[in-house]
Amino acid sequence: MTLLQRVEHDPDWYEPYRISLAIKANGLIFVSGQAGIDEHGRTVGVGDFETQARQAFRNLAAVLEQGGSSLNDVVKVTIMVTDMSYLDQIVRLREEYFTAPYPADTLLRVAGLAQPDWLVEIDAIAVAG
């Protein structure tokens, strides 16, 4: 039987939507998509991809830390963007926030995200510390 453990953060910016920030199961942490939002769920840097992406990475790191892990333990990441013209910035940010060996990655262009002003969302799977 798999034991599922919810990873919590205070404040929990996804609680109003009945979404777990992350779930730990069988030695892994499955992190929900993190967007460029602050701890109160407000979008940061409206229209500014770099600001939103950096916030999404900070949110990802904070959730992983709460789960006893870190960005260094990420084995798979999915990055969703609304415009592929951000590719060069994504590559630079992946190099900044992750280290070799870099995690497996899927980059998707999507028509839209949960909020119309979101430009990027990042989810991940990491080894639990």
Side-chain angles (χ1 to χ4, degrees):
M1 179 175 198
T2 300
L3 175 65
L4 302 180
Q5 179 183 358
R6 185 172 190 255
V7 175
E8 297 179 359
H9 190 279
D10 186 24
D12 182 337
W13 47 90
Y14 282 169
E15 180 60 31
Y17 305 103
R18 305 301 178 248
I19 298 171
S20 293
L21 287 169
I23 295 290
K24 290 173 77 168
N26 294 333
L28 297 173
I29 300 175
F30 298 84
V31 182
S32 292
Q34 299 300 308
I37 60 175
D38 66 17
E39 65 275 6
H40 304 292
R42 295 181 299 241
T43 304
V44 302
V46 175
D48 181 346
F49 178 81
E50 180 99 8
T51 298
Q52 287 192 26
R54 287 185 179 283
Q55 183 67 46
F57 275 107
R58 282 193 297 273
N59 291 346
L60 178 61
V63 172
L64 288 167
E65 184 177 312
Q66 285 298 118
S69 190
S70 73
L71 290 173
N72 291 332
D73 299 310
V74 172
V75 295
K76 173 68 170 85
V77 64
T78 302
I79 302 173
M80 294 153 278
V81 297
T82 57
D83 187 334
M84 285 304 282
S85 69
Y86 303 130
L87 178 60
D88 289 341
Q89 289 171 283
I90 286 292
V91 171
R92 187 173 37 77
L93 290 166
R94 282 193 300 217
E95 183 178 27
E96 182 178 332
Y97 285 95
F98 297 119
T99 57
Y102 296 102
D105 190 308
T106 300
L107 176 63
L108 302 168
R109 184 190 62 81
V110 295
L113 294 163
Q115 298 295 323
D117 54 359
W118 290 2
L119 302 175
V120 61
E121 188 169 349
I122 305 168
D123 70 30
I125 301 169
V127 176

